[in-house]
């Protein structure tokens, strides 16, 4: 079924600076310098749809599930921009794109958690990451960093080393929501490995929306670590009960969580 899509850029006063509409796929070129308060708005006639969304030409397109007719992405400035590439949202020309996911792409086996367009605020665009702790409330330690597709883990701080920081809390928990039922059978974690600055976790506990629980054993490594299990049908999962290793550092952190499956 065809779906009418619209992309627009507007300023803090909701004045439309650029706009374009089309059926199933379109791009918008915004010939201007972004100013604080500017935002990208993506509108769709239908809800419950899968789209590929590119919020900037310096950021990979994201596979998103939209549950609302309008998705708002607020252009980051200042400290909030530090978790993005310095090339993103910079300059005088910006290319934005959105297209419907084709039928043959919908059931592809992929990382269901990845969403480069996720934000701290939530506007019906999934997957979405949230947490009960983010170190000092800084953008470079926000939950969204754990699903942004970046896996470089040999330092900490601004892009490309952004991570989910737990603010030294023993009860830290991160949640990934998918907005609909998906099927998964594998999870991959990239923990931060800026040793000796960083600590590490020896284990973590996954809790799934179907009521099941899995404990994953972890190691001090810069390599991806994975757990494989029989297919689960879930709408969300959490990761908590993160047990620190014996390093004197109080700073374990998560670089990326990948949830592989179909949906």
């Amino acid at each position: 079924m065809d779906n009418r899509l619209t992309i627009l850029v507007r300023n803090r006063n909701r004045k439309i600076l650029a706009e374009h509409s089309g059926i199933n796929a379109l791009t918008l070129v915004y010939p201007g310098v972004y100013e604080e308060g500017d935002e990208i708005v993506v509108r769709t006639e239908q809800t419950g749809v899968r789209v590929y969304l590119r919020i900037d030409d310096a950021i990979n397109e994201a596979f998103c599930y939209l549950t609302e007719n309008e998705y708002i992405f607020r252009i980051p400035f200042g400290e909030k921009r530090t978790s993005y590439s310095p090339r993103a949202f910079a300059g005088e020309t910006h290319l934005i794109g959105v297209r419907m996911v084709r039928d043959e792409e919908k059931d592809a086996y992929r990382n269901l958690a990845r969403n480069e367009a996720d934000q701290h605020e939530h506007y019906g665009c999934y997957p979405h990451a949230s947490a009960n702790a983010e170190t000092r409330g800084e953008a470079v330690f926000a939950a969204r960093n754990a699903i942004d597709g970046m896996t470089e883990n040999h330092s900490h701080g601004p892009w490309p080393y952004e991570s989910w920081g737990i603010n030294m809390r023993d009860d830290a928990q991160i949640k990934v929501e998918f907005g609909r039922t998906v099927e998964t059978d594998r999870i991959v974690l990239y923990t931060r490995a800026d040793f000796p600055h960083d600590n590490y976790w020896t284990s973590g506990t996954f809790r799934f929306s179907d009521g099941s629980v899995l404990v994953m054993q972890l190691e001090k490594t810069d390599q991806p670590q994975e757990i494989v299990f029989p297919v689960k049908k879930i709408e969300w999962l959490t990761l908590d009960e993160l047990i620190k290793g014996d390093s004197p550092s109080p700073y374990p952190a998560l670089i990326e969580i990948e949830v592989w499956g179909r949906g």
Side-chain angles (χ1 to χ4, degrees):
M1 181 181 297
D2 289 339
N3 190 12
R4 186 170 182 81
L5 304 170
T6 299
I7 302 172
L8 61 89
V9 177
R10 66 188 182 194
N11 65 15
R12 65 167 68 243
N13 298 316
R14 302 178 73 86
K15 177 183 177 181
I16 296 176
L17 307 175
E19 182 177 6
H20 185 48
S21 297
I23 303 298
N24 296 338
L26 71 149
T27 56
L28 172 68
V29 176
Y30 174 54
V33 176
Y34 285 131
E35 298 182 0
E36 195 155 0
D38 289 352
E39 55 192 23
I40 297 166
V41 181
V42 177
R43 292 175 177 157
T44 172
E45 281 187 330
Q46 303 169 30
T47 59
V49 295
R50 296 164 177 82
V51 301
Y52 277 107
L53 175 59
R54 185 183 295 276
I55 55 172
D56 187 88
D57 49 88
I59 299 175
N60 289 333
E61 65 177 6
F63 188 115
C64 301
Y65 183 76
L66 303 180
T67 59
E68 305 291 338
N69 290 108
E70 182 174 274
Y71 176 59
I72 300 170
F73 183 89
R74 292 188 164 88
I75 305 299
F77 279 83
E79 187 270 338
K80 291 184 177 180
R81 189 176 284 194
T82 56
S83 60
Y84 296 93
S85 165
R87 299 185 300 277
F89 314 111
E92 299 179 353
T93 305
H94 311 278
L95 179 65
I96 308 159
V98 62
R99 71 172 176 87
M100 296 291 294
V101 173
R102 293 186 289 269
D103 288 342
E104 62 269 24
E105 298 172 310
K106 290 180 180 178
D107 293 325
Y109 189 76
R110 60 187 179 80
N111 174 13
L112 301 166
R114 181 169 174 168
N115 183 4
E116 292 86 342
D118 191 32
Q119 302 174 89
H120 196 273
E121 302 83 5
H122 190 219
Y123 300 98
C125 178
Y126 294 92
H128 174 62
S130 59
N132 66 350
E134 295 174 330
T135 302
R136 296 184 297 272
E138 296 177 7
V140 294
F141 300 120
R144 65 160 298 276
N145 299 329
I147 63 170
D148 69 353
M150 298 298 298
T151 59
E152 171 53 51
N153 63 354
H154 296 99
S155 187
H156 67 282
W159 183 93
Y161 304 111
E162 69 277 10
S163 60
W164 172 51
I166 66 171
N167 206 27
M168 297 187 290
R169 283 177 54 172
D170 292 333
D171 65 342
Q173 180 189 81
I174 188 169
K175 183 177 187 179
V176 180
E177 300 171 83
F178 304 101
R180 78 283 189 193
T181 300
V182 298
E183 296 183 353
T184 178
D185 62 1
R186 181 165 63 104
I187 296 174
V188 180
L189 295 183
Y190 291 79
T191 54
R192 209 173 63 198
D194 185 15
F195 309 125
H197 172 277
D198 286 343
N199 202 333
Y200 64 100
W201 294 303
T202 60
S203 67
T205 298
F206 291 105
R207 305 178 195 280
F208 301 90
S209 61
D210 66 356
S212 61
V213 177
L214 281 178
V215 176
M216 182 177 182
Q217 303 303 315
L218 299 167
E219 300 177 357
K220 182 180 181 180
T221 179
D222 63 352
Q223 297 300 299
Q225 302 179 71
E226 74 173 32
I227 185 170
V228 178
F229 44 86
V231 173
K232 295 179 180 295
K233 294 184 178 181
I234 60 170
E235 296 180 6
W236 53 261
L237 62 80
T238 62
L239 172 62
D240 57 21
E241 291 189 14
L242 293 157
I243 308 302
K244 289 195 289 287
D246 57 8
S247 167
S249 167
Y251 305 123
L254 180 65
I255 288 287
E256 195 78 3
I257 177 172
E258 298 178 349
V259 182
W260 287 84
R262 294 179 171 87

